[in-house]
Amino acid sequence: MEQGLVVTQLDVQPGECVKVKGKISSDAKGFSVNVGKDSGTLMLHFNPRFDCHGDVNTVVCNSKEDGMWGEEDRKADFPFQHGDKVEICISFDAAEVKVKVPEVEFEFPNRLGMEKIQYLAVEGDFKVKAIKFS
Ligand SMILES: C=CCO[C@@H]1O[C@H](CO)[C@@H](O[C@@H]2O[C@H](CO)[C@H](O)[C@H](OCc3cn(-c4n[nH]c(N)n4)nn3)[C@H]2O)[C@H](O)[C@H]1NC(C)=O
């Protein structure tokens, strides 16, 4: 499986924002944006699925602790289309993680009580154009 973009050694604090700009492939099956401590400890696995893992047009969110997935959270909104250029903004506080995309804001609990984001990885059918920390 082709490795996507990975950024480590980050120090993103509560209230700050991780912005990922990119393009969804025209034949995308799915992609994920992952933030946390490292690949095995994720505050958030944000996984829009066009058609994969048994889901169609569904955003699946989850956490991962010591390499073990938590309970999946399937969202009602699916504001993505093949070929879209999107900007995904992720921010967090002690209680929750927020994922802002055009017209929709997703929320997910900060299950692990993480106090900073040190790791960002983008995987799947998404071409990263820019990353901004603000
Ligand atoms: C129904 C019985 C079994 O349940 C299924 O179990 C699957 C395996 O755990 C679940 O899929 C995983 O769900 C995880 C989030 O909870 C992750 O999305 C996991 O994929 C991780 C992944 C994908 N990728 C990746 N995709 N494309 C590329 N380049 N890399 N890298 N890591 C998926 O393989 C899948 O979401 C889950 N489905 C349900 C309905 O629960």
Side-chain angles (χ1 to χ4, degrees), residues 47-50 56-59 75-81 104 106:
N47 180 207
R49 299 179 177 180
F50 288 87
V56 175
N57 292 349
T58 305
V59 172
K75 300 300 186 183
D77 295 305
F78 189 80
F80 303 106
Q81 291 187 3
V104 178
F106 298 98

Side-chain angles (χ1 to χ4, degrees), residues 1-2 45 47 49 53 55 60 62 69 72 74 123-124:
M1 193 179 292
E2 183 187 344
H45 168 73
N47 180 207
R49 299 179 177 180
H53 304 301
D55 286 289
V60 175
N62 207 346
W69 290 112
E72 294 184 340
R74 279 173 171 71
E123 295 170 332

Side-chain angles (χ1 to χ4, degrees), residues 103-115:
E103 280 136 52
V104 178
E105 181 174 291
F106 298 98
E107 294 175 355
F108 184 77
N110 184 352
R111 291 173 175 167
L112 282 59
M114 295 180 80
E115 297 176 345

Side-chain angles (χ1 to χ4, degrees), residues 25-41:
S25 306
S26 57
D27 61 349
K29 294 291 183 193
F31 68 93
S32 64
V33 180
N34 304 279
V35 293
K37 181 174 179 280
D38 53 38
S39 60
T41 304

